[in-house]
Amino acid sequence: MGARQAAPGAPQLVLETDGDSQVMSPSRSYNVGRDPTGDIVLADPRVSWHHALLHVDDGHWTLDDTGSTNGTWTHGHRVQHLDLDPGTTVSFGSPDGPCATVSALPEPTAVGRPAPSAPSALTSLTGSYRPPTTVRPLPAKVIRIGRATDNDLVVPDLSVSRHHAELLARPDGRYEIADSGSHNGTYLNGQPVLRAVVGADDLIGIGHSMFCLVGDQLQEFVDTGDVDLNVEGLVVTVDGGKVLLDGITFPVGQKCLLAVAGPSGAGKSTLLNALTGLRPADQGTVRYDGRDLYRDYAELRRRIGLVPQDDILHTQLTVRRALRYAAELRFPGDTAPAERAARVEEVIGELGLEQRADQVISSLSGGQRKRVSVALELLTKPSLLFLDEPTSGLDPGMDRSVMHMLRDLADDGRTVIVVTHSVLSLDLCDRLLLLAPGGKTAFYGPPGETLGFVGFPQWPEAFEAFENDTARDWAGQYRDSDEHRRYIADAMERPRRSQGTAPVPVAPPPPQGWFAQLGTLVRRYATALSADRTFLAVMIALPFVMGAMARALAGSKLDENSALNALLILCVGGVLTGAANAVRELVKERVIYQRERAVGLSRSAYLCSKIVVLGTITVVQAVVLTMVGLVGVKIRPQGGGGIFLPPLLEITLAVALLSFTAMMLGLFVSALVKKEEVTMPLLVLLAIVQVVFCGALLQLNGVPGLNQLSWLVPSRWALGAMSATIDLHQAVPGKLTDDPLFKHTQAAWLLDMGMLVALSVLLGFLVIRLLRRHEPAIMRG
């Protein structure tokens, strides 16, 4: 943050403060204070916001007090200026206030890495001089790593499996890491591996921990949330060359609350998608504590929390139950229920939700629902928390309350970035990124300096100017300003990780805990549906209503006057029950799926949970529909039975399979559309298509084009199967019923039923492919 200096004679020094260490380069200066975006952050209230400046003067490191309230102290004396040498200790705010000790940087080895006795290995790997959490000798044979206490190296992190991985010594003197079937995977330089050789410049990622091989040591570094985020030159374009983001660059310091504001269309949501990996930028980098987020996304995505504008919750559930289901999905299957419950209660307490823990989420106020969404993300202890319009639609009091919550979360040791239209509580933020139309940076710095820089007394005038003053070069004015130098250029002058050679891509390990995920998803979905009274009422009533209509048309027997109409109503009823159950289910949960997929949800397990729950409901409805419509009716008054089974049972199977296929068609429509509002009109259209192309109203057999098109319509095959069962052509002679699909033969019936199965499988495949569109672009596979 300070101005760069030219002092080649001054050495690099290490500054140790409160258990943290940082390498200080003589090419720049360092601000000390409570400002979370400063270079050296001291949270003690006795320390001033901008307390002191460390820099090089005439070839020597010096410290200057910058007008602090409580002073800078050494050896019990207050000082304004102090020359720094290795061994110097300085206290800030009081003689017994937080202290910093200066030491010399250890000499590198011949290969350019810190010597084995150096306090950290991350200096050359990530640019962060953090002391290791643990240091242990490298194994003679093997080190077992995991959450259970019987491991050689215990990692007390709920995202780590009980027996997660092993580090093994090879006969050639090298080491390799082997995953032990973990839930969340083992990573080498950000890429998932099952087994891989580890070199001296490699980072092993397990949960929130990184491991490095340093000489004869294994050093562990735990990500506790104190991370920097550096955004450099982000550019996003769309078809036609339109620029949505234009060279966005800014740093975000540790424990910083950053607000992103700007007029509509300025690129705020595009920036959020680029920072979280949902839609990576076309150019530029996002560096998480020196690591390329896009390159190491497979590992780092679990350290990022995202709260979209829409709720990522099943609002029919209670707060506690929703969080417990989320914990089941995000933590390894070998996590004990008591461990998960304890973490849930911890988060509930952290966000002040104790009084509402057993309340249904839909009954909460907007601000409280947003707290629950944040609580869900905090389960896995993310270091970065992103929020999209968290105060949208809230009154000023709730707006302030939510922003105070975010301020507290940042102060507790996280970096929080919030996209907002509201300017009511910007004073709670450490930094403001103001975007101009075209995705350009109009200002980045303390919120209190923003209006003065852009030249307007109030925010409405500033936003109005963005729209009206189109000739003003907002980005150019900021780029040439002292504010840009102070808050971006100088702050970005920090060491960054050398990327080295990218590892050979390795296929990620197979999804762990697939059946466990499926079980949790099924239970959660069934619970949510059972709490939806409107859905339950429609689900129960529809088969009875359609069955009664079929019964009225069937009369006492399926003869020449009633058979075709009764079968047609059974087809319509089967299609409506199946499609109506499913047509909203994916689109209404799109935001939830997108977020859960980003943190490890199996795509196939998610779809299977829908199929299991909805399929069970649909088949039961189909049975009720058929029984209400046909029990007591003479199905074959001319005599004879079904093809393989009694006629009533065969017709029930056909209606059940039709309803199931219609349910799959409903899921396909739900995955295809962008808005829930269009699903009901499409449901009506689907019903009409089924009626027209089932073969009960139009001659399809032998009509080129129409006949082939009808092959894609489930009701065509279902009517064929039911017609084959009752020998419709015999009951209702005529050209319309003289259809090969209606023949009373085993081949015709099996073809009809088999095509329904084939259509269900095809629709399932298409739904899987469509679900990919709503996943983070960087992880689609």
Side-chain angles (χ1 to χ4, degrees), residues 231 245 248-250 258-262 268 271 275 417-418 420 426 431-436 440-447 450 478 488:
V231 179
L245 289 183
I248 300 297
T249 298
F250 61 90
L258 165 67
V260 180
K268 299 186 297 295
L271 176 62
L275 296 179
I417 299 177
V418 54
T420 181
L426 292 180
R431 290 290 185 265
L432 170 64
L433 172 64
L434 183 63
L435 295 178
K440 303 176 186 292
T441 302
F443 181 80
Y444 178 81
T450 309
Y478 179 69
I488 292 183

Side-chain angles (χ1 to χ4, degrees), residues 106-122 129 132 134-138 200 212-221:
E107 291 294 325
T109 64
V111 295
R113 289 181 51 80
S117 60
S120 171
L122 291 189
Y129 198 87
T134 62
V135 177
R136 62 175 58 241
L138 283 170
C212 305
L213 308 185
V214 184
D216 59 354
Q217 294 178 345
L218 175 66
Q219 296 188 356
E220 178 189 9
F221 304 85

Side-chain angles (χ1 to χ4, degrees), residues 714-725:
S715 61
R716 172 81 164 117
W717 303 101
L719 181 64
M722 291 187 286
S723 299
T725 293

Side-chain angles (χ1 to χ4, degrees), residues 208-351:
H208 286 78
S209 296
M210 290 186 300
F211 298 90
C212 305
L213 308 185
V214 184
D216 59 354
Q217 294 178 345
L218 175 66
Q219 296 188 356
E220 178 189 9
F221 304 85
V222 178
D223 183 348
T224 59
D226 295 337
V227 298
D228 297 308
L229 188 73
N230 279 358
V231 179
E232 304 177 48
L234 295 190
V235 175
V236 174
T237 58
V238 293
D239 295 339
K242 181 179 180 181
V243 179
L244 302 183
L245 289 183
D246 190 0
I248 300 297
T249 298
F250 61 90
V252 188
Q254 301 172 10
K255 302 181 182 180
C256 176
L257 175 56
L258 165 67
V260 180
S264 297
K268 299 186 297 295
S269 296
T270 302
L271 176 62
L272 186 70
N273 290 338
L275 296 179
T276 58
L278 293 180
R279 199 290 192 189
D282 300 307
Q283 300 177 33
T285 59
V286 180
R287 299 188 182 277
Y288 175 103
D289 204 26
R291 303 174 64 183
D292 190 318
L293 176 65
Y294 297 159
R295 178 179 180 270
D296 297 352
Y297 186 79
E299 176 187 351
L300 298 179
R301 62 192 170 109
R302 290 187 175 86
R303 305 187 196 179
I304 297 173
L306 171 62
V307 180
Q309 184 173 349
D310 298 325
D311 288 329
I312 51 176
L313 306 156
H314 289 83
T315 56
Q316 307 94 326
L317 304 177
T318 65
V319 172
R320 181 176 280 112
R321 177 165 284 185
L323 293 178
R324 286 188 174 181
Y325 280 132
E328 284 188 46
L329 289 174
R330 299 193 181 195
F331 293 138
D334 59 12
T335 306
E339 292 179 291
R340 293 195 300 265
R343 179 57 187 158
V344 167
E345 297 305 318
E346 182 181 353
V347 170
I348 287 174
E350 184 176 2
L351 291 178

